[in-house]
Amino acid sequence: MAGPDLDELVGRAREGQPRAVARLISLVEDSSPRVADIARALTPYTGRARVVGLTGPPGVGKSTSTSALLTALRGEGLRVGVLAIDPSSPFSGGALLGDRIRMTEHATDPGVFIRSMATRGHLGGLSWATPQAARVLDAAGFDVVLIETVGVGQSEVDVVKLADTTVVLLAPGMGDGIQAAKAGVLEIADVFVVNKADRDGADATVHDLKQMIALARRELRGPSWRQPIVRTVAAKGEGVDEVVSALRAHHEWLLAHGELDRRRAARAREEVAAIALRRLHAELADLRDGDRLGEVAARVVARELDPFAAADQLIAELKG
Ligand SMILES: Nc1nc2c(ncn2[C@@H]2O[C@H](COP(=O)(O)OP(=O)(O)OP(=O)(O)O)[C@@H](O)[C@H]2O)c(=O)[nH]1
Ligand SMILES: [Mg+2]
């Protein structure tokens, strides 16, 4: 795709044409050779969207909550893009399908764009493709970008790197207290949601959470945001307005404390470092495919060079 075609595609995405948005996301997601050109074309139009991450254990109600949040935010006239990250194995594609079905009520709304992304099969997975996709949605003029990730292993931490505001969902009877402490959700959550509040044990979950927050706060210094705990019954839309209020309050807090800039700067550092590393990797792979690495290695064998000096030499050549 030549420059003018790319500009035209970006133009159509900015007019809100869903097919153009989808095409751009596909291009960046597959890390096409155009990815740098696309980023350059999008950058002037980015920086406006509020990026909200939703994470939590499997089945806690993230997709249901995302759908309910969509309805509430659309009610305020905001345009909302959703990235549903699916880290699942090839054998459990059902969750993805479920997300789609649950969100079909928004399917014909031009103010909504929903995209499921399977991390499997992507080089660098979530950490690579998602910021690119979020950038597309930002440039396309979506006011809010919601990113849903299942909180397993690293992914909870990953979403923090992406989002201005991180919502951690818990539900009664999931052994929340211990699990939460383990996964370090106290540090990553800006807003806690105890979903499935229609079930027994919601009070206990809220109680446990409050205790943990109080303990953690004792160790904190400086201007700290008080992480609110909102109870919801996402399946019925109950409590969702309170979540929207909490998101707004957190956004205002971020602005008032310079924290939004700080978070975005931290994010940019991560992203630039990841891109640089990836490029170096690629260049090194080129050297390996060519004979240069073989030549240097032969000199190591011949004891003309030690391996460290050999590596330094290769790096110097990469820079040159
Ligand atoms: N009782 C009750 N059930 C709920 C509530 N919210 C969601 N559910 C149900 O919980 C199940 C899981 O909801 P999802 O929204 O798919 O949960 P999820 O966290 O997105 O799940 P994964 O993406 O698979 O991790 C569904 O059957 C929902 O209908 C709620 O507030 N109360
Ligand atoms: Mg889901």
Side-chain angles (χ1 to χ4, degrees):
M1 188 195 314
D5 289 345
L6 181 57
D7 289 342
E8 196 206 313
L9 187 60
V10 169
R12 282 195 280 125
R14 295 192 60 230
E15 284 164 16
Q17 293 187 26
R19 284 182 59 188
V21 175
R23 172 98 178 102
L24 281 170
I25 292 181
S26 296
L27 285 168
V28 297
E29 197 180 27
D30 295 340
S31 62
S32 87
R34 293 250 134 229
V35 72
D37 294 334
I38 294 168
R40 192 184 313 120
L42 295 175
T43 290
Y45 312 112
T46 54
R48 279 191 50 250
R50 287 157 52 188
V51 183
V52 176
L54 283 99
T55 191
V60 73
K62 295 177 294 297
S63 297
T64 313
S65 300
T66 299
S67 183
L69 272 173
L70 258 174
T71 305
L73 294 168
R74 286 300 290 142
E76 296 187 358
L78 297 169
R79 296 181 65 220
V80 188
V82 177
L83 298 174
I85 314 300
D86 179 30
S88 60
S89 75
F91 308 107
S92 60
L96 242 163
L97 194 63
D99 287 344
R100 290 228 178 98
I101 290 165
R102 238 169 268 131
M103 304 226 189
T104 42
E105 60 181 289
H106 306 287
T108 55
D109 180 348
V112 169
F113 183 91
I114 299 166
R115 174 75 163 226
S116 289
M117 298 172 72
T119 52
R120 179 178 51 85
H122 288 295
L123 204 58
L126 167 71
S127 56
W128 175 258
T130 311
Q132 313 304 325
R135 176 174 289 119
V136 171
L137 293 175
D138 185 2
F142 289 97
D143 302 293
V144 180
V145 175
L146 296 176
I147 303 176
E148 175 193 338
T149 62
V150 180
V152 283
Q154 263 313 102
S155 57
E156 275 176 351
V157 181
D158 279 341
V159 81
V160 176
K161 289 183 191 159
L162 288 168
D164 300 325
T165 299
T166 299
V167 180
V168 173
L169 287 95
L170 300 167
M174 298 181 104
D176 316 298
I178 302 146
Q179 251 174 2
K182 254 196 209 154
V185 295
L186 277 182
E187 292 95 86
I188 68 161
D190 299 306
V191 174
F192 281 107
V193 168
V194 175
N195 187 41
K196 307 196 184 185
D198 53 332
R199 294 210 175 151
D200 287 345
D203 287 341
T205 303
V206 171
H207 180 260
D208 286 355
L209 212 45
K210 277 186 179 159
Q211 273 194 330
M212 283 168 50
I213 291 171
L215 277 174
R217 186 161 290 126
R218 254 178 244 163
E219 294 160 20
L220 286 174
R221 298 275 182 275
S224 81
W225 160 255
R226 301 186 77 84
Q227 300 153 308
I229 304 172
V230 184
R231 293 168 199 238
T232 61
V233 184
K236 294 182 187 157
E238 290 172 24
V240 175
D241 288 342
E242 284 79 358
V243 178
V244 172
S245 300
L247 293 179
R248 191 182 303 118
H250 186 252
H251 186 70
E252 281 161 11
W253 179 87
L254 288 173
L255 289 174
H257 292 81
E259 184 71 10
L260 189 65
D261 287 343
R262 207 192 60 73
R263 288 187 182 196
R264 290 186 172 180
R267 228 146 81 192
R269 284 169 60 113
E270 292 276 347
E271 198 182 0
V272 172
I275 292 168
L277 261 180
R278 195 181 161 101
R279 294 230 154 139
L280 284 174
H281 241 277
E283 288 187 36
L284 198 59
D286 284 348
L287 284 179
R288 188 181 291 138
D289 293 344
D291 254 355
R292 190 60 195 132
L293 181 59
E295 286 166 24
V296 178
R299 295 186 64 201
V300 171
V301 176
R303 279 174 283 139
E304 293 167 20
L305 278 177
D306 68 83
F308 290 87
D312 283 345
Q313 195 167 319
L314 280 185
I315 288 168
E317 285 174 24
L318 286 182
K319 285 184 192 158

